[in-house]
Amino acid sequence: MTEHDRLLSIVYASQATEPFDDARLAALLAQSRASNAEHGLTGMLLYRAGRFVQVLEGPEQTVRRLVDVIRADPRHTGMRILVEENVREREFGDWTMGYEPISETQEPMPEGFRSTFDDLESSDDPSATLRAARELSLWFRVRANRGS
């Protein structure tokens, strides 16, 4: 497998510099989906309470170039790579950019439910971050399949 063929998956978190309403999120998603389709990238984006968590996957060099572009984007700050790994196959192969709005619930949360990513950002344990990213990926795919 050549460097050009290797798939890279990166999960990052960042803080929006200003709140995103539905219209701004829709514009960001449209831009991301078009760019990702053009460059052979897939992934998902979560936004909640001013925080972004995004998974990007695709050819290694393409993902790295996009991460550099995203890091310089003034719409967010404090970008931190949570997981970076070469993968054999894509988790989000059918999605140029999946998106799920996450809102606050008034009901008690089930045991083990993650309502923030704050603990991951302060953790020095890469395996905890990787496990949470995989759980998040599974959660997102299950919710997306419920609608189809």
Side-chain angles (χ1 to χ4, degrees):
M1 180 177 286
T2 69
E3 185 174 313
H4 179 71
D5 295 330
R6 279 196 314 229
L7 291 176
L8 180 66
S9 176
I10 287 183
V11 180
Y12 76 84
S14 66
Q15 177 73 41
T17 53
E18 297 178 20
F20 272 65
D21 61 14
D22 289 343
R24 285 189 76 195
L25 280 171
L28 175 62
L29 286 168
Q31 173 190 357
S32 296
R33 287 175 173 151
S35 175
N36 288 357
E38 180 182 341
H39 295 100
L41 299 172
T42 53
M44 72 166 182
L45 175 68
L46 298 172
Y47 176 80
R48 179 173 181 244
R51 303 288 300 164
F52 290 106
V53 174
Q54 185 169 14
V55 178
L56 292 169
E57 57 188 17
E60 183 172 358
Q61 292 308 312
T62 306
V63 171
R64 291 191 187 287
R65 281 192 299 271
L66 181 57
V67 166
D68 290 341
V69 169
I70 291 171
R71 191 179 304 277
D73 190 320
R75 295 176 287 190
H76 70 137
T77 188
M79 182 176 171
R80 179 165 181 241
I81 303 294
L82 302 175
V83 177
E84 178 177 331
E85 66 176 343
N86 287 100
V87 294
R88 290 182 184 261
E89 61 185 48
R90 297 171 189 253
E91 292 283 330
F92 303 96
D94 296 332
W95 303 345
T96 54
M97 182 55 62
Y99 172 71
E100 179 73 27
I102 300 176
S103 58
E104 293 289 336
T105 180
Q106 300 303 317
E107 298 182 25
M109 290 188 284
E111 185 176 331
F113 181 79
R114 175 178 303 283
S115 63
T116 73
F117 301 101
D118 295 342
D119 62 322
L120 296 182
E121 293 180 28
S122 62
S123 175
D124 289 329
D125 178 6
S127 66
T129 303
L130 184 57
R131 279 191 312 276
R134 287 187 176 140
E135 290 167 11
L136 184 61
S137 166
L138 177 61
W139 174 85
F140 194 87
R141 284 183 280 138
V142 166
R143 285 186 50 101
N145 287 334
R146 281 188 196 158
S148 56

